[in-house]
Each structure stands twice: as structure tokens, then as C-alpha cells.
Amino acid sequence: MTRSPGVRAAILAAVALVAVAIVFAIHRHSSTATLPVAAGPWYTALAAPYTPSKGRTKSACGVAIGTKTIGVSHELLPCGVKLYVEYKGKQVLTQVIDRGHTVPGREFDLTQALAKLLRLDGTQTIQWRFAR
């Protein structure tokens, strides 16, 4: 059976459109399903939730800190460093979003949202490690 050039072009366009949709679906699924690989050993540290000073809307790293902001403050680690933080078997990928002095003996301050995710209340011992 012979098809007109217009019908053949329409069929080829439909096949190309389906192929593009499949490629986008595969790419989207693979890029959102992959977490950074953990690097190095687990370290132990004391951590507690904190609330930024009144009137302060941005962290020392330039991140807007709100009620849903997930991150940690650390005195020495550079802004943007990705970390896995674990507390009582719950592990969360986060990053350093603030810098500054912490309470003596405490290594990390956690945003309220991160502390809530981990179900961490008060000063507690956490596990942490770098992520690539």
C-alpha cells in the first residue's frame, strides 16, 4: 500500500515525538532518583536545633533561612558542603548553609526543619559524613 508523503511525514513526526517523550521521561527519572555517594567514615558530633538571630533573613552563606529551610551551621566547614546527617537511624542529605560560632562542645547547629525531619530535640549526638 502506497502512502502519500504527507501521511508518511505525519507518522514519522508522531514516532519522533514519542521517542523524545521517552528520552525525557528516562532522563528525568534517572536524575531525580540518584543521591550523592557518601564519602569517608561516619563521624560523631553534638548537634542541636537553632533559630537565627531576630531580624536576620539570610545566613552567612547567603541562604534565606525560613521555617522550611533544611541545612546545618558549622564553624569551619565551607558553605555548600554536602553532608549526610543521621540520628536514631534516620538519615538526611543536607548541606552547610550557615557559618558561625556554636555553643562550646557542640559542633553543628541544625535548622528547625532539619531537626524536625530527624526528630531531634535538644542537644544530641549525631552521626555525619561527607557526600560527593
Side-chain angles (χ1 to χ4, degrees):
M1 180 160 131
T2 307
R3 297 189 183 187
S4 70
V7 171
R8 276 186 272 165
I11 291 172
L12 285 174
V15 169
L17 184 61
V18 169
V20 167
I22 290 170
V23 167
F24 278 128
I26 290 171
H27 177 72
R28 191 176 124 213
H29 176 71
S30 67
S31 65
T32 59
T34 310
L35 290 175
V37 176
W42 284 101
Y43 299 97
T44 302
L46 288 178
Y50 82 110
T51 305
S53 306
K54 289 196 183 262
R56 191 170 138 203
T57 58
K58 287 200 174 190
S59 72
C61 298
V63 175
I65 298 180
T67 58
K68 295 182 181 180
T69 306
I70 295 177
V72 299
S73 175
H74 192 274
E75 188 174 14
L76 301 174
L77 293 176
C79 298
V81 169
K82 292 184 183 337
L83 308 169
Y84 282 99
V85 176
E86 183 178 82
Y87 178 68
K88 291 189 176 179
K90 175 88 171 166
Q91 207 176 115
V92 175
L93 174 65
T94 189
Q95 66 181 344
V96 176
I97 63 163
D98 202 0
R99 302 282 310 271
H101 300 287
T102 57
V103 173
R106 196 164 75 200
E107 195 169 339
F108 287 96
D109 286 330
L110 312 180
T111 60
Q112 295 290 327
L114 178 57
K116 186 176 179 179
L117 267 176
L118 293 170
R119 294 187 178 106
L120 183 141
D121 189 30
T123 301
Q124 303 293 335
T125 301
I126 62 163
Q127 302 292 316
W128 70 277
R129 69 197 295 179
F130 292 104
R132 292 184 200 200

